[in-house]
Amino acid sequence: MRDGRDPLASIAPVLPHLDALIIAGDLSNNPVFQWPRSLARIGQLIDPSRTWIVPGNHDYWSWRIDGEDRLAEIAKTAGAHLAQKRVIDIGTVRLLCATLWSDFQLTGDAPEAMHRRDMGKSW
């Protein structure tokens, strides 16, 4: 919204009719400042109690990897839910929620793993 455009404008009409809104990673970096603003806007479009946030890696930028209690507090204050390391059941759908991280040491060759990631190649 820095440039004055609303990134939610095109989907705003459908949001009130959803059973749930799952924000699956990367709501924003600097969550202490940005999450309340973002969730306030989202809360204008859908009941916040139907909103679940799974943090992505960008949600930890300018933040702490162990700061999930504070993220949960920010979400709760907005009326939403932090879904990190949780199971969510919505009707007959079950979601297992967690931030996924790359382990470049997994293969024993971190530089090659990073190179392959940068080149878009898989093993």
Side-chain angles (χ1 to χ4, degrees):
M1 290 197 297
R2 282 183 277 190
D3 61 3
R5 291 182 290 164
D6 183 354
L8 302 174
S10 65
I11 62 169
V14 301
L15 290 177
H17 308 289
L18 299 178
D19 293 330
L21 174 63
I22 310 298
I23 301 171
D26 298 341
L27 177 58
S28 71
N29 60 347
N30 193 4
V32 171
F33 178 72
Q34 297 290 350
W35 275 29
R37 294 175 48 190
S38 299
L39 291 172
R41 174 63 181 127
I42 292 166
Q44 293 172 343
L45 303 171
I46 185 172
D47 178 356
S49 69
R50 296 186 317 209
T51 301
W52 296 85
I53 307 161
V54 182
N57 64 320
H58 288 245
D59 294 302
Y60 291 97
W61 286 10
S62 303
W63 191 235
R64 300 183 340 248
I65 196 78
D66 63 348
E68 290 170 359
D69 289 344
R70 180 70 174 114
L71 295 179
E73 181 182 316
I74 294 168
K76 184 178 179 181
T77 298
H81 310 276
L82 184 70
Q84 181 68 307
K85 301 175 192 165
R86 295 192 55 188
V87 175
I88 302 171
D89 291 307
I90 302 170
T92 60
V93 175
R94 174 168 278 183
L95 303 169
L96 309 177
C97 305
T99 304
L100 299 178
W101 299 95
S102 297
D103 182 355
F104 293 119
Q105 295 295 336
L106 187 64
T107 64
D109 187 351
E112 177 62 18
M114 287 186 239
H115 174 73
R116 286 180 171 270
R117 176 215 49 204
D118 293 341
M119 302 309 290
K121 297 176 183 175
S122 64
W123 291 97

